[in-house]
């Protein structure tokens, strides 16, 4: 009776909730006394709905670092969960949703994941260094894109890590041998002044680091991109989403397609790799707006397009809109509708059969572009020089990886 219960934690995104339910069920079949705790974006977006799964006992909502520590201590001490903010749990057949937890204001107080990974991750030595390349410098996003759920999780109030703290983490990663990082913020920098200051810190204290990020169109000009390039930026992701200004306005992207295309020219002019995101099949989409998006994809000539079909995720404004307009029913299973699913069609003005025909042609265009860019990258002069320096066996493995994925 004094033994502590075993615990299985599952991080869940909406599109893999079905898989998470299977894992939870298998866990309970092995031992029904195991506590199953769910966390991640999906529980944060839908709240107590997660516990409709009979095999999930507790869910953590929002930022989980402090919530999970307090929860595990309560489990160890066999205390109740009444005072733990940010959790939803089952008690005597009832679902109880505790008040939300306050956001962590001092992000510098959080530890660096890579410094503790060797103590926590099983088979740590099998993980590549690149497993630790993603860094967050902020939490929160000031924008309010119609389809995005980020503000529901982090809020629109942006919280920043100090430059000193960011530099310290990057320097520690460099000492491990990692020379390439990706800033995984919802929107890197947020303001031009923030970007300038961070670039200055990277240029002075993180010599030799190469980095990438996602950037908002409105933040791009020659001065900013030049500073980013000098501090080590080699790749920028740009969420253009649509080539039609009416659709961009409904999306609330905050820029026009003309501004986006100009931003792409600035990035390419400075010799930085450009990756662009496009979404087709927005609820307000028409055949004409789709044509505008295809035209813009061709004009951009980015190194890579990330192509998606619009997917409404539970808890977002877009999901509610689709439900109110009869585009999804009460039996909607989001796990069957992912960004490239052939079943996706949430358009008010295009029938599913016609939409599938139109997007199949777009997909073929994107596939041709991806193959061409893979081929071009794999057999570029710089790649051949790098492969030569690696040696024959490692060169073969690296060449295979480059052919399998356009990203590095």
């Amino acid at each position: 009776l004094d033994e502590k219960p075993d615990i299985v934690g599952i991080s869940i995104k909406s599109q893999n909730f079905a898989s998470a339910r299977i894992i939870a069920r298998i866990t309970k079949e092995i031992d029904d006394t195991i506590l199953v705790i769910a966390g991640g974006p999906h529980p944060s977006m839908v709240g107590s709905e997660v516990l409709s799964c009979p095999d999930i006992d507790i869910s953590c909502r929002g930022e989980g670092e402090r919530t999970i520590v307090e929860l595990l201590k309560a489990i160890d001490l066999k205390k109740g969960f009444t005072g733990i903010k940010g959790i939803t749990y089952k008690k005597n057949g009832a679902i109880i949703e505790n008040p939300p937890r306050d956001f962590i204001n001092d992000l510098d107080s959080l530890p660096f994941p890579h410094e503790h990974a060797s103590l926590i991750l099983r088979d740590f030595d099998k993980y590549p260094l690149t497993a630790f390349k993603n860094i967050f410098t902020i939490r929160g996003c000031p924008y309010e894109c119609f389809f995005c759920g980020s503000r529901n999780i982090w809020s629109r109030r942006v919280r920043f890590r100090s430059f000193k703290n960011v530099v310290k983490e990057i320097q520690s990663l460099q000492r491990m041998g990692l020379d390439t990082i990706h800033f995984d913020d919802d929107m890197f920098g947020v303001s031009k002044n923030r970007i300038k200051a961070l670039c200055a810190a990277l240029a002075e204290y993180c010599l030799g680091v190469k980095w990438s990020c996602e950037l908002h169109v409105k933040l791009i000009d020659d001065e900013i991109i030049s500073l980013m390039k000098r501090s080590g930026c080699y790749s920028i992701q740009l969420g253009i989403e649509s080539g039609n200004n009416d659709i961009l306005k409904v999306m609330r992207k905050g820029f026009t397609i003309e501004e986006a295309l100009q931003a792409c020219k600035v990035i390419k002019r400075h010799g930085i790799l450009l990756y662009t995101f496009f979404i087709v099949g927005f609820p307000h989409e028409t055949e004409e707006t789709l044509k505008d998006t295809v035209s813009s994809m061709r004009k951009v000539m980015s190194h890579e397009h990330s192509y998606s079909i619009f997917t409404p995720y539970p808890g977002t404004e877009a999901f509610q809109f689709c439900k109110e307009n009869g585009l999804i029913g009460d039996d909607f299973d989001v796990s069957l509708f992912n960004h490239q699913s052939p079943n996706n069609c949430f358009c008010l003005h295009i029938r599913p059969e016609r939409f599938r025909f139109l997007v199949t042609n777009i997909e073929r265009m994107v596939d041709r572009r991806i193959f061409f860019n893979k081929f071009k990258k794999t057999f570029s002069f710089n790649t051949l020089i790098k492969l030569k320096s690696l040696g024959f066996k490692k060169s073969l493995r690296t060449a295979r990886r480059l052919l399998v994925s356009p990203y590095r």
Side-chain angles (χ1 to χ4, degrees), residues 49 146 283 310 312-332 346 348:
E49 185 181 318
F146 178 77
F310 168 77
Y313 287 113
T316 64
E317 191 177 346
F319 185 88
Q320 188 61 32
F321 177 89
C322 289
K323 198 165 186 179
E324 290 173 355
N325 286 273
L327 296 171
I328 56 177
D330 293 334
D331 59 346
F332 179 75
F346 304 96
L348 290 168

